[in-house]
Protein backbone atom coordinates (compact mmCIF):
# COMPACT_ATOMS: atom_id res chain seq x y z
CA UNK A 1 0.00 0.00 0.00
CA UNK A 2 2.78 2.43 0.89
CA UNK A 3 4.54 1.67 -2.35
CA UNK A 4 1.33 2.28 -4.26
CA UNK A 5 0.79 5.59 -2.46
CA UNK A 6 4.36 6.58 -3.19
CA UNK A 7 3.87 5.81 -6.86
CA UNK A 8 0.62 7.78 -6.93
CA UNK A 9 2.33 10.67 -5.13
CA UNK A 10 5.16 10.70 -7.64
CA UNK A 11 2.74 10.55 -10.54
CA UNK A 12 0.68 13.42 -9.07
CA UNK A 13 3.81 15.45 -8.38
CA UNK A 14 5.06 14.85 -11.93
CA UNK A 15 1.73 15.93 -13.39
CA UNK A 16 1.69 19.05 -11.23
CA UNK A 17 5.31 19.81 -12.19
CA UNK A 18 4.49 19.26 -15.87
CA UNK A 19 1.50 21.57 -15.68
CA UNK A 20 3.52 24.15 -13.76
CA UNK A 21 6.21 23.96 -16.40
CA UNK A 22 3.66 24.38 -19.19
CA UNK A 23 2.06 27.30 -17.34
CA UNK A 24 5.46 28.89 -16.78
CA UNK A 25 6.43 28.47 -20.42
CA UNK A 26 3.08 29.86 -21.53
CA UNK A 27 3.40 32.77 -19.13
CA UNK A 28 6.90 33.59 -20.38
CA UNK A 29 5.73 33.31 -23.98
CA UNK A 30 2.79 35.65 -23.29
CA UNK A 31 5.10 38.09 -21.58
CA UNK A 32 7.46 38.07 -24.55
CA UNK A 33 4.56 38.50 -26.93
CA UNK A 34 3.23 41.38 -24.81
CA UNK A 35 6.65 43.03 -24.85
CA UNK A 36 6.85 42.68 -28.60
CA UNK A 37 3.32 44.04 -28.91
CA UNK A 38 4.18 46.98 -26.67
CA UNK A 39 7.31 47.69 -28.70
CA UNK A 40 5.29 47.50 -31.90
CA UNK A 41 2.71 49.88 -30.45
CA UNK A 42 5.44 52.25 -29.29
CA UNK A 43 7.00 52.24 -32.77
CA UNK A 44 3.62 52.94 -34.34
CA UNK A 45 2.98 55.74 -31.84
CA UNK A 46 6.40 57.24 -32.58
CA UNK A 47 5.81 56.99 -36.34
CA UNK A 48 2.38 58.52 -36.01
CA UNK A 49 3.71 61.26 -33.76
CA UNK A 50 6.43 62.02 -36.31
CA UNK A 51 3.87 62.11 -39.10
CA UNK A 52 1.64 64.45 -37.10
CA UNK A 53 4.61 66.66 -36.25
CA UNK A 54 5.57 66.93 -39.92
CA UNK A 55 1.95 67.60 -40.85
CA UNK A 56 1.75 70.35 -38.22
CA UNK A 57 5.00 71.88 -39.43
CA UNK A 58 3.78 71.79 -43.04
CA UNK A 59 0.47 73.30 -41.98
CA UNK A 60 2.24 76.06 -40.06
CA UNK A 61 4.48 76.69 -43.08
CA UNK A 62 1.46 76.86 -45.41
CA UNK A 63 -0.32 79.25 -43.04
CA UNK A 64 2.80 81.46 -42.87
CA UNK A 65 3.06 81.47 -46.67
CA UNK A 66 -0.60 82.36 -47.02
CA UNK A 67 -0.29 85.17 -44.48
CA UNK A 68 2.80 86.47 -46.28
CA UNK A 69 0.99 86.27 -49.62
CA UNK A 70 -1.95 88.20 -48.17
CA UNK A 71 0.44 90.80 -46.75
CA UNK A 72 2.26 91.11 -50.08
CA UNK A 73 -1.05 91.47 -51.89
CA UNK A 74 -2.19 94.15 -49.45
CA UNK A 75 1.15 95.97 -49.84
CA UNK A 76 0.88 95.73 -53.63
CA UNK A 77 -2.62 97.18 -53.59
CA UNK A 78 -1.52 99.94 -51.23
CA UNK A 79 1.44 100.79 -53.46
CA UNK A 80 -0.67 100.80 -56.61
CA UNK A 81 -3.11 103.19 -54.94
CA UNK A 82 -0.18 105.39 -53.90
CA UNK A 83 1.15 105.39 -57.47
CA UNK A 84 -2.27 106.37 -58.82
CA UNK A 85 -2.65 109.22 -56.33
CA UNK A 86 0.89 110.44 -56.97
CA UNK A 87 0.31 110.29 -60.73
CA UNK A 88 -2.79 112.48 -60.34
CA UNK A 89 -0.76 114.86 -58.19
CA UNK A 90 1.94 115.03 -60.86
CA UNK A 91 -0.62 115.73 -63.58
CA UNK A 92 -2.30 118.47 -61.55
CA UNK A 93 0.49 120.92 -62.37
CA UNK A 94 1.84 121.24 -58.83
CA UNK A 95 5.32 122.74 -58.47
CA UNK A 96 8.33 120.48 -58.73
CA UNK A 97 9.58 121.18 -55.21
CA UNK A 98 6.24 120.11 -53.73
CA UNK A 99 6.14 117.08 -56.02
CA UNK A 100 9.67 116.02 -55.00
CA UNK A 101 8.69 116.27 -51.34
CA UNK A 102 5.55 114.23 -51.96
CA UNK A 103 7.62 111.57 -53.72
CA UNK A 104 10.04 111.29 -50.79
CA UNK A 105 7.19 111.00 -48.28
CA UNK A 106 5.26 108.44 -50.36
CA UNK A 107 8.29 106.21 -50.88
CA UNK A 108 9.36 106.32 -47.24
CA UNK A 109 5.88 105.60 -45.87
CA UNK A 110 5.05 102.79 -48.31
CA UNK A 111 8.40 101.01 -47.96
CA UNK A 112 8.57 101.64 -44.20
CA UNK A 113 12.22 102.61 -44.37
CA UNK A 114 14.40 105.02 -42.45
CA UNK A 115 14.79 107.72 -45.07
CA UNK A 116 14.31 108.81 -48.67
CA UNK A 117 15.83 111.67 -50.64
CA UNK A 118 15.34 113.10 -54.13
CA UNK A 119 18.77 114.12 -55.46
CA UNK A 120 19.32 116.24 -58.57
CA UNK A 121 22.40 115.64 -60.67
CA UNK A 122 23.99 119.07 -60.96
CA UNK A 123 26.79 118.01 -63.30
CA UNK A 124 30.03 116.08 -63.01
CA UNK A 125 29.92 114.31 -59.62
CA UNK A 126 27.80 116.94 -57.90
CA UNK A 127 24.41 116.08 -56.37
CA UNK A 128 21.90 118.40 -54.73
CA UNK A 129 19.13 117.33 -52.39
CA UNK A 130 15.76 118.59 -53.62
CA UNK A 131 13.63 116.84 -50.99
CA UNK A 132 14.15 114.54 -48.00
CA UNK A 133 11.97 112.47 -45.69
CA UNK A 134 13.08 110.69 -42.53
CA UNK A 135 16.67 109.96 -41.52
CA UNK A 136 18.77 110.40 -44.66
CA UNK A 137 22.50 110.64 -45.24
CA UNK A 138 23.46 114.31 -44.60
CA UNK A 139 24.59 116.34 -47.61
CA UNK A 140 25.57 120.01 -48.01
CA UNK A 141 22.67 122.28 -48.90
CA UNK A 142 24.50 123.50 -52.01
CA UNK A 143 25.26 119.97 -53.14
CA UNK A 144 28.06 117.51 -52.69
CA UNK A 145 30.92 116.95 -55.11
CA UNK A 146 32.84 113.69 -55.28
CA UNK A 147 31.86 112.58 -51.78
CA UNK A 148 32.11 108.85 -51.02
CA UNK A 149 28.47 108.85 -49.96
CA UNK A 150 27.53 109.73 -53.56
CA UNK A 151 29.30 106.68 -55.02
CA UNK A 152 26.15 104.48 -55.34
CA UNK A 153 24.16 107.37 -56.86
CA UNK A 154 26.90 108.12 -59.37
CA UNK A 155 27.11 104.44 -60.33
CA UNK A 156 23.33 104.44 -60.90
CA UNK A 157 23.53 107.60 -63.03
CA UNK A 158 26.40 106.18 -65.07
CA UNK A 159 24.70 102.82 -65.62
CA UNK A 160 21.20 104.31 -66.08
CA UNK A 161 19.80 101.66 -63.74
CA UNK A 162 19.14 101.18 -60.05
CA UNK A 163 22.03 100.35 -57.73
CA UNK A 164 21.54 98.59 -54.37
CA UNK A 165 24.07 98.31 -51.54
CA UNK A 166 22.74 95.69 -49.12
CA UNK A 167 25.36 96.48 -46.48
CA UNK A 168 27.75 99.43 -46.61
CA UNK A 169 30.21 97.44 -44.50
CA UNK A 170 31.04 95.55 -47.66
CA UNK A 171 31.87 98.81 -49.48
CA UNK A 172 35.26 100.18 -48.45
CA UNK A 173 34.42 103.81 -49.32
CA UNK A 174 31.02 103.79 -47.67
CA UNK A 175 32.29 101.91 -44.60
CA UNK A 176 34.60 104.86 -43.88
CA UNK A 177 31.95 107.48 -44.66
CA UNK A 178 31.33 109.68 -41.60
CA UNK A 179 27.94 110.82 -42.93
CA UNK A 180 26.70 107.22 -43.16
CA UNK A 181 27.86 106.47 -39.62
CA UNK A 182 26.23 109.66 -38.38
CA UNK A 183 22.89 108.68 -39.96
CA UNK A 184 23.17 105.06 -38.80
CA UNK A 185 22.71 103.78 -42.37
CA UNK A 186 23.45 100.16 -43.28
CA UNK A 187 21.77 99.78 -46.69
CA UNK A 188 21.40 102.23 -49.60
CA UNK A 189 19.57 102.05 -52.93
CA UNK A 190 19.54 104.61 -55.75
CA UNK A 191 16.87 104.61 -58.47
CA UNK A 192 17.42 106.77 -61.56
CA UNK A 193 15.08 109.61 -62.54
CA UNK A 194 15.45 109.71 -66.32
CA UNK A 195 15.79 112.85 -68.41
CA UNK A 196 15.64 113.84 -72.08
CA UNK A 197 19.40 114.27 -72.57
CA UNK A 198 20.79 112.85 -69.33
CA UNK A 199 19.32 111.56 -66.06
CA UNK A 200 17.76 114.24 -63.89
CA UNK A 201 18.91 112.56 -60.67
CA UNK A 202 18.06 109.71 -58.34
CA UNK A 203 15.67 108.71 -55.60
CA UNK A 204 17.90 107.46 -52.80
CA UNK A 205 16.64 105.03 -50.16
CA UNK A 206 18.43 104.42 -46.87
CA UNK A 207 17.80 102.30 -43.81
CA UNK A 208 19.52 101.12 -40.64
CA UNK A 209 18.80 97.48 -41.56
CA UNK A 210 21.01 95.51 -43.89
CA UNK A 211 19.55 94.03 -47.10
CA UNK A 212 16.06 95.46 -46.67
CA UNK A 213 15.37 96.49 -50.30
CA UNK A 214 13.63 93.85 -52.42
CA UNK A 215 13.06 93.78 -56.18
CA UNK A 216 9.42 94.77 -55.61
CA UNK A 217 10.60 97.79 -53.60
CA UNK A 218 12.91 98.90 -56.38
CA UNK A 219 10.16 98.41 -59.00
CA UNK A 220 7.77 100.58 -56.95
CA UNK A 221 10.35 103.35 -56.55
CA UNK A 222 11.17 103.14 -60.27
CA UNK A 223 7.50 103.81 -61.06
CA UNK A 224 7.58 106.92 -58.84
CA UNK A 225 10.85 107.98 -60.52
CA UNK A 226 9.27 107.60 -63.97
CA UNK A 227 6.37 109.83 -62.93
CA UNK A 228 8.84 112.40 -61.63
CA UNK A 229 10.77 112.24 -64.91
CA UNK A 230 7.58 112.88 -66.85
CA UNK A 231 6.67 115.83 -64.62
CA UNK A 232 10.16 117.32 -64.91
CA UNK A 233 10.12 116.93 -68.70
CA UNK A 234 6.69 118.53 -68.95
CA UNK A 235 7.74 121.43 -66.71
CA UNK A 236 10.85 122.06 -68.83
CA UNK A 237 8.76 121.95 -72.01
CA UNK A 238 6.29 124.45 -70.56
CA UNK A 239 9.15 126.76 -69.55
CA UNK A 240 10.69 126.48 -73.01
CA UNK A 241 7.36 127.18 -74.75
CA UNK A 242 6.74 130.16 -72.48
CA UNK A 243 10.21 131.51 -73.21
CA UNK A 244 9.72 131.10 -76.96
CA UNK A 245 6.40 132.89 -76.69
CA UNK A 246 7.98 135.86 -74.92
CA UNK A 247 11.30 136.13 -76.77
CA UNK A 248 12.44 136.48 -80.34
CA UNK A 249 13.63 133.13 -81.68
CA UNK A 250 16.68 134.66 -83.43
CA UNK A 251 17.90 137.38 -81.09
CA UNK A 252 16.55 136.10 -77.75
CA UNK A 253 15.29 139.62 -76.97
CA UNK A 254 11.81 140.25 -75.49
CA UNK A 255 9.18 140.33 -78.24
CA UNK A 256 5.99 142.34 -78.63
CA UNK A 257 3.95 140.05 -76.38
CA UNK A 258 6.46 140.34 -73.54
CA UNK A 259 6.64 144.09 -74.03
CA UNK A 260 2.84 144.32 -73.89
CA UNK A 261 2.66 142.23 -70.69
CA UNK A 262 5.35 144.29 -69.00
CA UNK A 263 3.61 147.49 -70.04
CA UNK A 264 0.33 146.28 -68.52
CA UNK A 265 2.07 145.36 -65.26
CA UNK A 266 3.78 148.74 -65.07
CA UNK A 267 0.48 150.52 -65.72
CA UNK A 268 -1.23 148.55 -62.98
CA UNK A 269 1.55 149.40 -60.54
CA UNK A 270 1.52 153.10 -61.50
Amino acid sequence: VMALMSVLYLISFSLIALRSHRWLVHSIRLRLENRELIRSLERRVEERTEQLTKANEQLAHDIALRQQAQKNLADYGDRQAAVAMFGQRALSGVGLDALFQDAALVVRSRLRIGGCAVLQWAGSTKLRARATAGQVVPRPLQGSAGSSVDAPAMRALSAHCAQVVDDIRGESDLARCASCREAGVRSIADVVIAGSERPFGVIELSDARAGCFSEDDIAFVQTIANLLATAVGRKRSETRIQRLAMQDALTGLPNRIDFHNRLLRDLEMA
Side-chain angles (χ1 to χ4, degrees):
V1 174
M2 291 297 293
L4 181 60
M5 290 181 62
S6 298
V7 171
L8 292 176
Y9 176 78
L10 290 174
I11 293 174
S12 300
F13 183 77
S14 298
L15 292 174
I16 292 173
L18 181 60
R19 289 186 178 180
S20 299
H21 176 71
R22 289 178 179 176
W23 176 84
L24 182 61
V25 171
H26 182 68
S27 177
I28 294 174
R29 184 180 299 169
L30 288 177
R31 182 173 296 181
L32 293 175
E33 291 178 354
N34 287 338
R35 286 182 181 178
E36 186 63 27
L37 179 60
I38 291 172
R39 291 176 183 174
S40 176
L41 290 174
E42 288 177 348
R43 286 195 298 268
R44 292 181 62 184
V45 169
E46 290 176 357
E47 292 175 357
R48 187 58 178 169
T49 302
E50 185 178 357
Q51 291 176 357
L52 291 175
T53 301
K54 291 182 179 180
N56 288 334
E57 292 176 353
Q58 184 64 38
L59 181 60
H61 180 67
D62 292 343
I63 291 175
L65 289 178
R66 182 174 180 180
Q67 290 176 345
Q68 184 63 38
Q70 291 176 343
K71 180 179 179 298
N72 292 342
L73 184 60
D75 288 343
Y76 178 78
D78 185 52
R79 292 179 182 185
Q80 289 299 107
V83 168
M85 293 181 62
F86 184 76
Q88 292 178 355
R89 176 84 165 154
L91 293 174
S92 66
V94 67
L96 289 180
D97 288 336
L99 194 62
F100 292 149
Q101 189 62 46
D102 287 348
L105 291 172
V106 166
V107 169
R108 179 175 181 261
S109 63
R110 293 304 184 275
L111 298 188
R112 302 180 183 89
I113 58 176
C116 177
V118 177
L119 307 176
Q120 182 178 0
W121 188 13
S124 184
T125 59
K126 188 176 181 180
L127 296 172
R128 183 165 68 96
R130 296 294 300 269
T132 61
Q135 185 69 26
V136 299
V137 179
R139 282 182 171 85
L141 294 177
Q142 298 302 321
S144 58
S147 174
S148 60
V149 72
D150 293 332
M154 297 310 303
R155 287 201 298 266
L157 292 170
S158 299
H160 295 270
C161 65
Q163 297 291 314
V164 179
V165 178
D166 290 327
D167 193 343
I168 65 172
R169 296 178 182 179
E171 299 279 337
S172 58
D173 293 339
L174 292 176
R176 296 191 299 267
C177 177
S179 298
C180 292
R181 292 196 302 269
E182 178 184 344
V185 170
R186 285 284 301 277
S187 57
I188 295 176
D190 288 277
V191 179
V192 178
I193 304 172
S196 57
E197 298 179 357
R198 68 172 190 176
F200 173 82
V202 296
I203 298 179
E204 185 171 84
L205 320 175
S206 57
D207 197 84
R209 299 165 295 172
C212 65
F213 302 123
S214 65
E215 293 183 0
D216 291 339
D217 296 337
I218 300 302
F220 167 71
V221 179
Q222 187 64 67
T223 303
I224 299 295
N226 293 341
L227 291 173
L228 283 179
T230 301
V232 170
R234 187 180 68 250
K235 189 68 175 179
R236 287 178 174 176
S237 297
E238 292 175 353
T239 302
R240 180 173 177 274
I241 292 173
Q242 185 177 9
R243 185 177 65 253
L244 291 175
M246 297 296 179
Q247 297 177 356
D248 184 77
L250 295 177
T251 64
L253 297 175
N255 58 16
R256 184 178 302 176
I257 298 176
D258 188 35
F259 172 76
H260 180 70
N261 291 337
R262 292 185 181 185
L263 179 62
L264 291 178
R265 285 198 302 269
D266 292 341
L267 290 175
E268 290 177 355
M269 295 176 61

